[in-house]
Amino acid sequence: MARRPGAIGAAVGAAWLLAAAPAPGQPADPALGERVYREHCAVCHGESGDGRGHAAHHFKTAPRDFTKGRFKIRSTTGGQPPSDDDLRRSIVRGLPGTGMLPQDHVSEAELRAVIAYIKTFSPRFAETPAPRALALPPARPPGPDTLERGRAVYVKGECAECHGKTARGDGPSAKDLKIKPTDLTRRPFKVGPTAGDIVRALLTGLDGTPMPSYQGVLEDDELWDLAYWLDSLKTSPVVTDDEREARHVIRMHQPRR
């Protein structure tokens, strides 16, 4: 597989050396995790994981501050840290639209090691060693009235208060929010490209932002109808400034071998 250049600018780090995969059950290698992080992630996230690396100023979406232990993109319940699988997904798939480019060439040994190292920056991971992932409700197959129902759910959930009547992030409360609401018509979404990814974000909320969890607020079928409606609003994906900057950062900071 050809390697893809990248930079973990907004969430986890950048490209790193390949290593042999560990035997099943073998603990992550702490020395490998630290080396991977310091050589390739610290440039954005900082040596101490506080999101203040030398390249952090390049990005509109700031690199994640790992010391807080709060992550927007996760499958766990509100207030819990992400699971290892969540961190793995962010590394391998990236966070579309941000400086976190996909790192799908990473070896299993490096992946496990750098995840373990990132978790040392915040005590929240030790306090919740096995965060519980929320199961997605069974998908409701879309039908001829799905979009109409989804639009009604958007109104019921008062989503327009922040995101606006046309879902462009310009609701009446938007001007008062430090973290601005997402323009739901623009792609790519950080949470992922599918309706299932949208449902997950609706269930978990986005920690550290005004976006709440709708678990227990909307019925399972309503979550899927809303997700299908939001998916129908999508425009053609664009390459963002952060993604361009990430490629520049990797060119400038990738170790020469």
Side-chain angles (χ1 to χ4, degrees):
M1 179 186 300
R3 298 188 184 183
R4 180 184 306 175
I8 298 186
V12 185
W16 38 63
L17 293 175
L18 294 178
Q26 180 178 335
D29 181 349
L32 175 61
E34 181 175 3
R35 176 166 61 82
V36 167
Y37 181 87
R38 296 201 181 282
E39 288 187 0
H40 302 283
C41 309
V43 65
C44 292
H45 295 282
E47 293 290 333
S48 60
D50 60 3
R52 298 179 180 180
H54 295 307
H57 67 280
H58 287 280
F59 302 103
K60 294 179 180 178
T61 299
R64 179 61 43 193
D65 179 350
F66 295 135
T67 66
K68 294 181 178 179
R70 294 192 178 277
F71 293 73
K72 292 186 290 186
I73 313 302
R74 62 187 207 293
S75 63
T76 54
T77 56
Q80 288 193 326
S83 67
D84 285 9
D85 284 343
D86 292 332
L87 296 175
R88 178 186 301 268
R89 185 167 56 248
S90 292
I91 295 171
V92 175
R93 285 177 31 173
L95 298 181
T98 76
M100 172 55 200
L101 301 181
Q103 305 298 315
D104 51 9
H105 60 273
V106 177
S107 74
E108 180 64 21
E110 292 169 319
L111 194 55
R112 293 176 63 242
V114 79
I115 287 172
Y117 187 74
I118 287 169
K119 290 165 64 176
T120 67
F121 288 124
S122 172
R124 297 187 74 235
F125 287 101
E127 293 165 0
T128 314
R132 182 174 67 87
L134 286 170
L136 292 187
R140 176 176 185 163
D145 58 347
T146 293
L147 299 185
E148 181 180 349
R149 293 197 308 265
R151 179 71 175 105
V153 176
Y154 186 80
V155 174
K156 174 184 176 180
E158 300 182 346
C159 308
E161 180 64 28
C162 295
H163 293 284
K165 291 183 179 180
T166 58
R168 295 185 179 276
D170 56 357
S173 295
K175 65 181 183 303
D176 300 320
L177 298 175
K178 182 177 179 181
I179 299 176
K180 298 306 179 185
T182 295
D183 179 345
L184 299 173
T185 70
R186 296 187 64 182
R187 297 297 184 273
F189 273 163
K190 297 182 183 70
V191 299
T194 70
D197 292 320
I198 297 173
V199 169
R200 181 183 296 109
L202 291 168
L203 282 171
T204 64
L206 301 181
D207 273 5
T209 80
M211 175 63 189
S213 166
Y214 281 87
Q215 184 184 21
V217 177
L218 298 178
E219 301 294 333
D220 289 352
D221 285 350
E222 291 178 321
L223 290 167
W224 281 103
D225 287 341
L226 178 55
Y228 289 133
W229 182 74
L230 293 173
D231 188 54
S232 76
L233 303 179
K234 63 187 175 186
T235 54
S236 297
V238 297
V239 177
T240 66
D241 291 340
D242 275 1
E243 289 171 321
R244 294 188 185 93
E245 289 294 340
R247 294 186 176 95
H248 170 72
V249 168
I250 192 62
R251 286 195 300 269
M252 296 297 294
H253 296 276
Q254 189 173 34
R256 297 183 183 276
R257 307 203 181 277

